[in-house]
Amino acid sequence: MKPCWLFFCVPLCLFSLSSSNAQSLSQSQLTQIDNLFSAFDQGPPIAYGIICGDTAIGKEFGAEAYTCKVPGPTPYRLGNMALHFTAYAILTLEAEGRIRLSDEISAYLGPGEGVDLRGITIRQLLNHSHGLPEYWALKSLMGFTNEERFTTADADQLFTRKLNNLHPPGQRVFFSGTGAYLMARIIEKLTGDNLHAFTQRHIFKPLEMEHTYFTNSDRVSNIVSYSQSGEIYEPQMIGHYDNGPVGVITTLEDLLTWFTFMADQNSAIKQKMDEPILLSEEKIAEIPDGMITYGQQFMHEERGVNKIWDYGQIGGFASSVYRFPKYDLSIVILSKNGIYFNGFLGMQISDILLEDEYTEIAPENRSPIALTEEFKEKIIGSYFDPIYYNYRQIRLQNDTLRYFRPDYGTEQALYPMSKEELWMPTPRGDYYFTLIGNSLQLMVENVPYTYDKVAAYRQKSQDLSSLCGTYLCESHALVLSIKQGKNGNWVLEAGNEERELHSVDGQQFVSAHSLYKSLTLKINAQDEIIGILISNPGIRDLVFKKFTL
């Protein structure tokens, strides 16, 4: 059903926020919402939309100089929110009985050329426990930027080179674009249609979403976004034309049509899209963003209010949606002005509209305990996360513990609250750590991140005199160099980028480079450094040999 559109050309727009507690969107609320966007009036477009039931309102902000020159509504890229539509396409095939989520993907795609697709199910693509190398890490590995033309055929090449799978299927949840890319390939193998053609036939045309489509090599998009440098907005065009992970172009009106359609839970597919997806019979797939739904969105409770939300970003485009089923309310934000994450505006709108529904949590009436010598000895040291390759240090400065992130050069004060708990206040909120044996566990939205104390993790010494040099990855034609900096530190050079290296234990190093996150030395029987294994959360143990003439 197409929503009834009310734009802000009238002095007052009324709708029910709750069937049990009808409210109206007052002029005061409209003014407050508009004021949230007043800072963007002189830049490229940014828009918001609000849905309640069959009623939708929307407004766009920005200077005329940046508006689209082609007649019609402003087009936006959804970024990772495209996964939502890929999932709907897969569940459509399941509802038709053409696939089962328990099917192994190798039945449709074969065993895999470079990566091993055996033993992985469609469900594991949806719950992101497939354990395969990560789509975006592979794209970066091949040297593609967002501005370069990148097609589905190019994406196919990502998985033809020999690479280690990250983990056995079903063990670890890591949200990525790999599942969406492979689901799109399954749709094509099964139906003969690429994702663009399939979604046009089954989703977008039936709903009269006339300006929404998946890009591909035949249906490209020339829409421009912007990046901001000081007061200047630089135009940029995204050359990413693949099906699945990020390929959706849409407009505010079309997206509100879609979420109006989704709010009416009149089909088994739509109901399933909003259900949390299981990792196993007893465990729901969850990441810090929330519980993952079949629809590739996140279910999360905040201040007593349940929401289903999602976000995406690519180039200068950003998108986000916040859905509050209990209140029949959805909020959409779209932008092409270089904001990396525009979701904060959606939550600020919800604060205005659901002000009386949120439960304000009173701060705990607790105070830090005294910092004893015993506690200092126990907590001070270096910590390493072997899953995400993050390295942290806890230091002492002026009798206060400091939590230091060497790869980013930031630190915060850390206070003991008990013999096992520490509190770290930050501008983004309070974080709490728990000491568990020799590990430090950080809880983020009920999802644990564990850092092992380096002394307990492993402790090796290594002569690093031969670390400097050039290293070659023959399988991917990549070259990196390591040199010693002016202050005696080790520096990684890759392309035009330099990153400082931080030693975890004398044999493993970490950097802030997204591709070269972890470097593990390969040493021969003569104790000589002969190569490096490169890993990041999306790639494991990529071999670089030390290059010698």
Side-chain angles (χ1 to χ4, degrees):
M1 178 186 297
K2 294 280 283 186
C4 172
W5 282 92
L6 297 176
F7 288 93
F8 291 149
C9 55
V10 293
L12 184 66
C13 301
L14 301 176
F15 59 76
S16 171
L17 283 178
S18 169
S19 58
S20 61
N21 183 23
Q23 303 178 40
S24 64
L25 184 63
S26 68
Q27 187 61 52
S28 172
Q29 289 173 319
L30 284 174
T31 300
Q32 290 181 67
I33 292 170
D34 278 3
N35 286 343
L36 297 176
F37 293 82
S38 60
F40 305 108
D41 273 341
Q42 301 308 310
I46 183 170
Y48 74 81
I50 301 170
I51 307 168
C52 190
D54 292 339
T55 303
I57 59 175
K59 189 170 184 179
E60 185 174 275
F61 299 78
E64 186 175 349
Y66 301 102
T67 56
C68 184
K69 306 305 179 186
V70 180
T74 303
Y76 296 89
R77 273 186 178 268
L78 286 187
N80 285 342
M81 276 178 60
L83 275 68
H84 181 65
F85 295 98
T86 308
Y88 191 92
I90 281 289
L91 294 187
T92 298
L93 292 176
E94 184 203 24
E96 293 174 351
R98 302 178 71 178
I99 63 169
R100 294 173 301 177
L101 299 189
S102 59
D103 290 344
E104 291 195 6
I105 64 175
S106 58
Y108 304 95
L109 304 176
E113 296 181 51
V115 296
D116 189 357
L117 301 181
R118 295 171 299 179
I120 298 169
T121 66
I122 297 175
R123 182 183 300 277
Q124 287 167 340
L125 298 183
L126 285 167
N127 66 28
H128 298 266
S129 69
H130 46 73
L132 293 168
E134 205 274 319
Y135 178 90
W136 294 103
L138 294 178
K139 182 172 179 281
S140 176
L141 186 67
M142 289 183 67
F144 283 97
T145 66
N146 285 334
E147 290 73 27
E148 294 175 292
R149 181 179 175 86
F150 186 78
T151 67
T152 303
D154 294 319
D156 288 340
Q157 296 302 310
L158 302 181
F159 294 87
T160 59
R161 301 181 185 185
K162 183 63 179 175
L163 288 165
N164 297 312
N165 288 8
L166 296 174
H167 295 277
Q171 286 195 1
R172 170 192 164 197
V173 176
F174 181 69
F175 202 90
S176 76
T178 300
Y181 157 74
L182 292 174
M183 284 189 284
R185 276 317 200 193
I186 290 171
I187 291 168
E188 185 169 349
K189 293 285 187 181
L190 189 62
T191 68
D193 284 336
N194 61 30
L195 191 58
H196 167 75
F198 185 88
T199 51
Q200 286 296 313
R201 182 177 295 110
H202 292 273
I203 303 175
F204 302 136
K205 285 186 177 179
L207 290 175
E208 300 179 35
M209 296 171 64
E210 299 175 358
H211 301 283
T212 302
Y213 58 93
F214 270 93
T215 60
N216 59 32
S217 57
D218 299 319
R219 181 73 188 268
V220 300
S221 170
N222 294 322
I223 64 173
V224 172
S225 64
Y226 296 85
S227 60
Q228 187 173 8
S229 177
E231 299 296 321
I232 306 298
Y233 288 97
E234 296 288 346
Q236 56 182 319
M237 189 176 295
I238 306 302
H240 201 110
Y241 300 141
D242 71 322
N243 286 321
V246 294
V248 170
I249 307 295
T250 192
T251 63
L252 178 63
E253 180 178 354
D254 275 7
L255 201 57
L256 293 181
T257 296
W258 170 256
F259 285 117
T260 299
F261 168 74
M262 284 298 297
D264 185 5
Q265 298 273 289
N266 60 356
S267 74
I269 297 176
K270 288 192 282 186
Q271 292 168 14
K272 191 167 188 174
M273 286 279 284
D274 286 347
E275 292 176 6
I277 188 168
L278 296 179
L279 184 62
S280 64
E281 290 186 4
E282 297 87 16
K283 188 176 181 181
I284 292 173
E286 189 171 12
I287 62 173
D289 290 326
M291 294 180 287
I292 301 173
T293 67
Y294 280 91
Q296 306 302 279
Q297 298 182 326
F298 310 107
M299 187 173 292
H300 173 64
E301 180 183 309
E302 182 168 336
R303 291 175 288 159
V305 173
N306 288 313
K307 67 174 185 283
I308 301 172
W309 75 290
D310 195 6
Y311 65 101
Q313 187 276 332
I314 185 170
F317 295 99
S319 58
S320 58
V321 60
Y322 292 86
R323 302 166 58 208
F324 303 89
K326 178 181 177 181
Y327 305 99
D328 210 9
L329 174 68
S330 298
I331 299 165
V332 170
I333 310 291
L334 294 172
S335 60
K336 53 191 296 185
N337 59 3
I339 296 178
Y340 185 80
F341 175 71
N342 59 24
F344 68 95
L345 292 162
M347 281 306 296
Q348 287 176 347
I349 292 175
S350 80
D351 286 340
I352 294 169
L353 301 183
L354 299 176
E355 179 181 9
D356 296 333
E357 305 297 332
Y358 281 118
T359 301
E360 294 298 333
I361 301 174
E364 295 184 37
N365 186 21
R366 299 173 62 193
S367 300
I369 64 174
L371 183 59
T372 64
E373 293 299 321
E374 179 183 1
F375 194 85
K376 292 178 189 177
E377 183 176 351
K378 185 176 182 179
I379 193 67
I380 292 173
S382 299
Y383 294 81
F384 183 65
D385 173 0
I387 295 177
Y388 294 97
Y389 303 105
N390 292 318
Y391 177 57
R392 304 290 183 254
Q393 294 176 349
I394 295 181
R395 304 170 171 177
L396 186 68
Q397 182 179 333
N398 299 327
D399 210 34
T400 300
L401 295 174
R402 308 289 294 181
Y403 182 78
F404 181 51
R405 302 173 68 195
D407 45 354
Y408 295 98
T410 61
E411 66 176 73
Q412 277 88 30
L414 196 61
Y415 302 98
M417 303 301 289
S418 71
K419 291 183 178 180
E420 291 81 29
E421 188 182 26
L422 297 104
W423 165 54
M424 183 173 71
T426 78
R428 298 181 62 184
D430 293 342
Y431 292 88
Y432 289 90
F433 296 84
T434 303
L435 275 169
I436 304 175
N438 286 304
S439 297
L440 194 64
Q441 189 177 86
L442 170 64
M443 296 297 295
V444 180
E445 303 292 355
N446 298 318
V447 178
Y449 291 85
T450 301
Y451 296 85
D452 298 330
K453 200 167 187 180
V454 170
Y457 183 65
R458 62 182 180 182
Q459 186 65 53
K460 298 180 181 179
S461 60
Q462 173 64 39
D463 179 10
L464 300 178
S465 59
S466 60
L467 181 58
C468 287
T470 302
Y471 297 82
L472 172 66
C473 176
E474 296 176 346
S475 61
H476 290 75
L478 295 172
V479 176
L480 65 84
S481 298
I482 297 177
K483 65 181 182 180
Q484 204 153 12
K486 295 180 180 179
N487 60 357
N489 61 324
W490 299 101
V491 177
L492 165 74
E493 286 185 314
N496 296 322
E497 296 185 64
E498 287 191 1
R499 293 289 188 273
E500 185 175 356
L501 294 175
H502 300 276
S503 175
V504 175
D505 61 4
Q507 191 176 9
Q508 185 171 15
F509 293 80
V510 294
S511 80
H513 196 292
S514 59
L515 182 58
Y516 303 103
K517 184 74 174 175
S518 167
L519 296 80
T520 302
L521 306 184
K522 290 188 69 179
I523 301 164
N524 63 15
Q526 289 72 45
D527 209 31
E528 299 169 329
I529 298 172
I530 59 172
I532 292 173
L533 297 178
I534 295 293
S535 299
N536 61 48
I539 295 173
R540 181 170 65 88
D541 293 343
L542 193 63
V543 177
F544 282 70
K545 295 180 180 179
K546 192 167 185 182
F547 182 74
T548 55
L549 294 175

